[in-house]
């Protein structure tokens, strides 16, 4: 596999676009396996004094405001996910990525998972199921692990489970053997430019499959169902549905069915709460059946799987109030799912960076719940809170204020939930930073 990737890179005029963690992994792979051919590093910031590069005489660094100029002169531009090319004509540039290079040489052993929400949980669960079944498995991608960091650990029979964001899917010209799309909501408009383009990017999961490949998708999500129905994808459709029986894997009464046979009870012992997580479980179970894995081991892995950090994670109990952190809920639909999963939320802390996504109907939904207290934070929470009953809303400027207030007003025996329904970048580094601060304030 590595030899095949080397063939694709050898004697090429190569550029690495972006020199963060993945860019450095690409650089190290090239130097370890391809050789000392010249590489151009392209990054908005000047990285020429990076310790990896200072003694490399065959590297050229391009930086500054015009760093994206002249990308068309390279045989291959190995792009990292975080860089947007929406303002340049990418059709003139031969763009690839670590993920695409792996797909090009090894797609038959790759399971790809995407969706606006749920992809981290579902891909992690799939990886755990494979490992419980004794399958050699590498889990990488958007979860924070560059593909090229893991290649030296791969053997011929290794399966790759790849969490794939829209950034990683955008320029792909190859699709995985088993592709999963969980849902499509409005998100990442700052990068994609429009909802339509964002949803089209996600469809690269299926677009380049052939008849021997599998496309797993949840048809109860209208946006996703319509996208698939209006496309000429040729992969084998494996439909998931929690609302009807016209699917490969579906929920009926108290059981989940696979291929019209009862597979396991809806209330299977599990730590992943809520109906939306049951759907994620149904997707992972479907992957296990396609691979012919052992049911007993698969259901054991499902029962023992721990929720990811920052996604409905129990922080602790203070004065008989349970505090949950859910900073991975960056859109209204995710917050709504979390409220319905917990059922006993008395105080909701929400709000964050305004990225221009629609919050239509969200205030009405919150108003319709039994939640007594809404603590609204800038910027989106402040706007939405003005549409909710005054007697239920509180406005604060900081997360520490929000937690202090929650400790005073939340009824004993109930739950305080931090679920922003927005991104965290406005006042925090990311969702993890916001989640860690919440934990600190709750437990201090």
């Amino acid at each position: 596999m590595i030899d095949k990737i080397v063939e694709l890179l050898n004697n090429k005029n190569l550029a690495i676009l972006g020199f963060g963690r993945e860019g450095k992994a690409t650089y190290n792979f090239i130097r370890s396996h391809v050789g000392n051919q010249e590489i151009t590093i392209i990054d908005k910031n000047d990285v020429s004094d990076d310790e990896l590069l200072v003694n490399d005489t065959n590297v050229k660094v391009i930086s500054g405001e015009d760093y994206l100029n002249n990308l068309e002169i390279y045989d291959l531009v190995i792009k990292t996910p975080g860089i947007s090319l929406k303002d340049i004509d990418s059709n003139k540039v031969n763009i690839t990525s670590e993920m695409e290079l792996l797909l090009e040489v090894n797609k038959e052993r790759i399971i790809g998972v995407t969706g606006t929400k749920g992809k981290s949980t579902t891909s992690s669960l799939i990886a755990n199921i494979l490992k419980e079944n004794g399958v050699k498995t590498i889990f990488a991608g958007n979860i924070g692990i560059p593909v090229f960091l893991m290649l030296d650990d791969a053997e011929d029979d290794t399966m790759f489970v790849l969490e794939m964001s829209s950034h990683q899917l955008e320029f792909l010209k190859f699709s995985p053997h088993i592709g999963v799309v969980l849902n499509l909501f409005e998100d990442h408009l700052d990068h994609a430019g429009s909802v339509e383009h964002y949803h089209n990017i996600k469809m690269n999961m299926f677009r380049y499959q052939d008849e021997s490949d599998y496309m797993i998708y949840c048809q109860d999500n209208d946006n996703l169902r319509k996208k698939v129905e209006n496309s000429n994808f040729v992969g084998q459709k494996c439909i998931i549905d929690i609302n009807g029986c016209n699917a490969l894997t579906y929920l009926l009464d108290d059981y989940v069915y696979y291929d019209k046979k009862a597979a396991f009870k809806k209330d299977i012992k599990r730590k992943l709460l809520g109906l939306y997580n049951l759907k994620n479980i149904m997707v992972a179970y479907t992957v296990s059946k396609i691979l012919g894995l052992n049911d007993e081991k698969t259901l054991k892995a499902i029962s023992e799987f721990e929720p990811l950090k920052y996604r409905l994670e129990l922080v602790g109990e203070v004065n008989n109030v349970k505090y949950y952190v859910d900073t991975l809920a960056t859109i209204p639909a995710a917050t709504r799912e979390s409220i319905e999963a917990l059922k006993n939320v008395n105080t909701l802390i929400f709000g964050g960076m305004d990225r221009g996504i629609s919050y239509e109907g969200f205030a009405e939904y919150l108003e319709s719940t039994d939640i007594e207290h809404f603590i609204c934070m800038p910027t989106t929470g402040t706007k939405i809170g003005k549409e909710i009953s005054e007697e239920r809303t509180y406005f604060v400027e900081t997360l520490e204020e929000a937690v202090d207030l929650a400790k005073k007003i939340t009824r004993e025996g109930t739950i305080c939930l931090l679920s922003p329904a927005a991104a965290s970048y406005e006042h925090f580094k990311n969702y993890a930073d916001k989640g860690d601060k919440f934990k600190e304030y709750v437990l201090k």
Side-chain angles (χ1 to χ4, degrees):
M1 176 179 56
I2 288 178
D3 290 345
K4 291 178 181 178
I5 294 175
V6 169
E7 287 179 20
L8 296 174
L9 301 179
N10 202 27
N11 297 319
K12 294 284 199 314
N13 180 14
L14 298 176
I16 299 173
L17 180 54
F19 205 61
R21 189 179 187 196
E22 184 166 314
K24 291 176 181 179
T26 304
Y27 170 85
N28 284 328
F29 177 86
I30 293 171
R31 284 292 178 251
S32 297
H33 297 285
V34 181
N36 206 34
Q37 67 189 59
E38 184 173 279
I39 308 171
T40 302
I41 308 295
I42 304 174
D43 195 290
K44 189 172 185 177
N45 301 312
D46 185 1
V47 295
S48 55
D49 59 352
D50 189 282
E51 61 182 358
L52 286 177
L53 307 179
V54 288
N55 296 318
D56 190 335
T57 57
N58 277 337
V59 70
K60 178 181 178 183
V61 175
I62 294 176
S63 59
E65 290 300 318
D66 298 327
Y67 74 112
L68 294 178
N69 289 354
N70 303 315
L71 295 179
E72 67 276 3
I73 70 173
Y74 302 100
D75 296 331
L76 276 179
V77 175
I78 308 172
K79 179 186 173 299
T80 58
I83 296 177
S84 172
L85 299 182
K86 67 179 182 179
D87 296 325
I88 71 169
D89 186 358
S90 57
N91 293 319
K92 297 179 180 179
V93 184
N94 194 3
I95 299 169
T96 190
S97 62
E98 288 188 4
M99 198 162 280
E100 176 160 283
L101 290 165
L102 178 61
L103 280 164
E104 188 169 354
V105 304
N106 198 37
K107 68 165 280 188
E108 294 304 318
R109 302 200 67 79
I110 292 177
I111 302 163
V113 181
T114 196
T116 305
K117 285 294 151 191
K119 56 186 176 291
S120 296
T121 294
T122 306
S123 54
S124 299
L125 178 57
I126 291 169
N128 278 32
I129 289 171
L130 265 61
K131 291 173 184 176
E132 181 68 31
N133 277 272
V135 179
K136 294 172 186 172
T137 305
I138 286 177
F139 180 33
N142 190 60
I143 197 71
I145 305 172
V147 168
F148 278 12
L149 275 183
M150 308 300 295
L151 289 189
D152 287 332
D153 297 329
E155 301 176 22
D156 289 343
D157 58 349
T158 297
M159 289 293 297
F160 287 82
V161 179
L162 303 181
E163 181 191 337
M164 303 170 74
S165 69
S166 58
H167 300 68
Q168 291 162 318
L169 284 160
E170 185 171 10
F171 296 102
L172 287 188
K173 297 175 287 294
F174 299 87
S175 299
H177 176 52
I178 299 176
V180 175
V181 183
L182 299 167
N183 46 56
L184 295 176
F185 296 108
E186 184 180 352
D187 204 357
H188 296 296
L189 303 190
D190 50 339
H191 181 95
S194 70
V195 176
E196 181 69 16
H197 183 52
Y198 168 64
H199 290 176
N200 284 337
I201 289 170
K202 290 288 194 182
M203 290 298 96
N204 283 344
M205 182 66 77
F206 301 148
R207 186 164 281 117
Y208 303 103
Q209 289 183 320
D210 60 36
E211 292 85 350
S212 68
D213 298 322
Y214 297 90
M215 45 187 296
I216 301 174
Y217 68 96
C218 302
Q219 73 172 3
D220 58 288
N221 180 267
D222 288 340
N223 293 327
L224 177 53
R225 177 180 52 78
K226 291 173 183 176
K227 269 292 175 193
V228 174
E229 288 177 353
N230 294 328
S231 301
N232 297 316
F233 302 137
V234 299
Q236 301 176 54
K237 292 181 179 179
C238 302
I239 300 172
I240 313 295
D241 201 335
I242 57 171
N243 297 319
C245 303
N246 185 26
L248 176 64
T249 308
Y250 57 90
L251 178 63
L252 179 63
D253 298 328
D254 294 329
Y255 281 87
V256 170
Y257 287 76
Y258 175 82
D259 197 18
K260 300 182 180 179
K261 296 178 182 177
F264 56 89
K265 282 191 172 183
K266 178 177 69 173
D267 59 356
I268 182 177
K269 178 186 174 185
R270 58 186 171 108
K271 300 175 183 178
L272 291 173
L273 304 176
L275 191 60
Y276 74 97
N277 267 324
L278 179 61
K279 186 161 53 175
N280 295 337
I281 288 169
M282 290 164 65
V283 167
Y285 183 81
T286 302
V287 172
S288 77
K289 298 301 285 185
I290 290 171
L291 295 175
L293 303 182
N294 178 274
D295 253 27
E296 186 177 345
K297 292 179 180 178
T298 295
L299 295 175
K300 179 176 182 288
I302 289 169
S303 295
E304 295 177 351
F305 184 78
E306 295 283 350
L308 300 184
K309 291 179 69 175
Y310 315 112
R311 185 65 174 125
L312 270 193
E313 178 189 357
L314 178 61
V315 175
E317 190 166 333
V318 179
N319 296 329
N320 200 24
V321 172
K322 290 181 179 178
Y323 289 82
Y324 281 84
V325 58
D326 192 41
T327 47
L328 272 172
T330 58
I331 60 172
T335 294
R336 179 171 179 162
E337 288 172 341
S338 297
I339 292 168
E340 293 170 2
L342 292 176
K343 300 186 184 341
N344 192 27
V345 178
N346 184 248
T347 299
L348 174 69
I349 304 171
F350 74 101
M353 182 180 178
D354 189 345
R355 294 171 296 159
I357 65 174
S358 173
Y359 285 88
E360 183 179 356
F362 188 53
E364 289 84 350
Y365 165 73
L366 296 179
E367 188 83 70
S368 72
T369 68
D370 294 330
I371 297 172
E372 286 188 49
H373 312 295
F374 297 104
I375 301 179
C376 310
M377 294 184 59
T379 297
T380 58
T382 305
K383 292 179 180 178
I384 295 164
K386 293 174 182 177
E387 301 176 36
I388 304 172
S389 305
E390 289 185 17
E391 62 271 17
R392 299 169 73 182
T393 52
Y394 305 79
F395 296 92
V396 299
E397 291 298 319
T398 69
L399 183 57
E400 188 169 17
E401 286 180 72
V403 174
D404 288 343
L405 177 58
K407 288 180 177 179
K408 295 174 183 175
I409 63 177
T410 307
R411 282 193 295 110
E412 290 189 22
T414 65
I415 289 170
C416 171
L417 169 65
L418 168 63
S419 188
S424 300
Y425 299 117
E426 194 169 32
H427 298 290
F428 302 89
K429 294 177 184 176
N430 49 37
Y431 68 87
D433 181 36
K434 188 171 187 175
D436 289 339
K437 290 289 194 303
F438 180 71
K439 295 177 186 179
E440 176 188 331
Y441 299 146
V442 167
L443 299 174
K444 76 175 183 178

